[in-house]
Amino acid sequence: MTDLSTPHIDPQGETIAETILLPGDPLRAKFIAETYLDNPRCFNRVRNMLGYTGTYRGREISVMGTGMGIPSISLYSHELIHTFGVRNLIRVGSCGSMQEHVDLYDVVIAQGASTDSNYLSQFGIPGTWAPLSSYRLLEHAKHLADERGATAHVGNILSSDIFYNADDQTLGKWARMGVLAVEMESAGLFANAAAAGVDALGIFTVSDHIPSGRRTTPAERETAFTTMIEIALELG
Ligand code: ADE
């Protein structure tokens, strides 16, 4: 039980676990909690950013929406880490593949998150700091993906502030540097985790294949997400 609250999270006495899954969409957090967790209890309704705590295979775990973009995930992860003592933060979401060989429905596990955001400037680093995920969580996630026979790519992703890009050449430049896929949050999460000395990871399902323009339907995405979620639930 906790009587703590923040401007964006008000658990009203409910607990938040040390390990949390972080989908962008709060309704996906509800779906994950109701589908996978035993005895799920809602710990946040502020701004409808739903969060739940329950147990998975006997272990307490939480799941909460983050909203879209680095500003949104950064404020929620900051409050989860600094007020509620969360120590393992695992983003689960969709990404757009930037590489021919990273196909629709494949899993991408972020080793690092490059970014076009200015978020990292607050740390005052005199150079280019690389936001990395936790190697402990990364290694475990890759092992679980291999055990399941899932196609899982490990590498650099791009956390972009821009979904509708005015310049269609930009993504190609990241792709030429070997960046696997684009999403919009992980660099902020990894930076907050590193600054606080806690662990973070990003696991994604490819929802669109940018080189070919192919994309999944919302219904197809639902099934593809299962592998990613089941891997994430084992981590901590
Ligand atoms: N998430 C899924 N697909 C994406 C894309 N193309 N750009 C940014 N975020 C995404």
Side-chain angles (χ1 to χ4, degrees):
M1 289 292 190
T2 174
D3 54 6
L4 300 168
S5 70
T6 63
H8 308 100
I9 305 174
D10 184 7
Q12 302 197 343
E14 197 46 74
T15 51
I16 303 177
E18 270 201 5
T19 299
I20 193 163
L21 265 53
L22 299 171
D25 179 354
L27 289 180
R28 188 164 294 278
K30 183 171 191 276
F31 173 82
I32 294 168
E34 290 175 351
T35 307
Y36 291 100
L37 302 190
D38 293 324
N39 188 24
R41 286 101 55 202
C42 187
F43 73 76
N44 193 51
R45 294 184 198 279
V46 180
R47 290 177 182 248
N48 285 326
M49 199 56 84
L50 301 171
Y52 298 82
T53 299
T55 53
Y56 182 75
R57 300 194 170 159
R59 196 167 55 92
E60 189 171 73
I61 191 160
S62 294
V63 54
M64 180 182 171
T66 64
M68 287 185 283
I70 287 175
S72 191
I73 197 168
S74 298
L75 70 89
Y76 288 113
S77 58
H78 188 279
E79 293 175 5
L80 288 167
I81 294 167
H82 293 280
T83 302
F84 300 106
V86 176
R87 300 198 62 79
N88 300 302
L89 300 98
I90 301 150
R91 169 161 153 66
V92 286
S94 64
C95 66
S97 165
M98 295 202 277
Q99 302 289 343
E100 207 59 59
H101 71 284
V102 178
D103 209 353
L104 290 182
Y105 307 114
D106 285 359
V107 171
V108 172
I109 305 173
Q111 182 178 11
S114 301
T115 190
D116 55 23
S117 155
N118 196 39
Y119 186 76
L120 305 179
S121 67
Q122 68 177 300
F123 298 102
I125 295 157
T128 306
W129 178 77
L132 298 185
S133 63
S134 153
Y135 184 71
R136 181 179 63 79
L137 294 177
L138 171 79
E139 188 184 32
H140 192 185
K142 179 66 165 81
H143 177 76
L144 291 167
D146 290 346
E147 260 183 1
R148 293 171 159 269
T151 305
H153 308 267
V154 176
N156 205 351
I157 62 162
L158 169 65
S159 299
S160 181
D161 278 350
I162 309 161
F163 188 85
Y164 297 108
N165 207 316
D167 168 9
D168 60 9
Q169 304 301 306
T170 309
L171 282 184
K173 293 181 184 166
W174 293 103
R176 279 193 289 284
M177 293 301 282
V179 174
L180 299 176
V182 57
E183 51 85 71
M184 305 186 77
E185 291 82 17
S186 295
L189 174 65
F190 294 176
N192 280 359
V198 301
D199 289 286
L201 183 65
I203 311 180
F204 307 92
T205 305
V206 176
S207 62
D208 46 309
H209 187 259
I210 295 167
S212 66
R214 286 180 296 128
R215 50 181 53 246
T216 56
T217 65
E220 289 168 331
R221 247 174 269 157
E222 199 68 51
T223 344
F225 280 154
T226 307
T227 305
M228 167 186 74
I229 300 297
E230 290 180 0
I231 292 170
L233 283 165
E234 296 281 343
L235 302 174

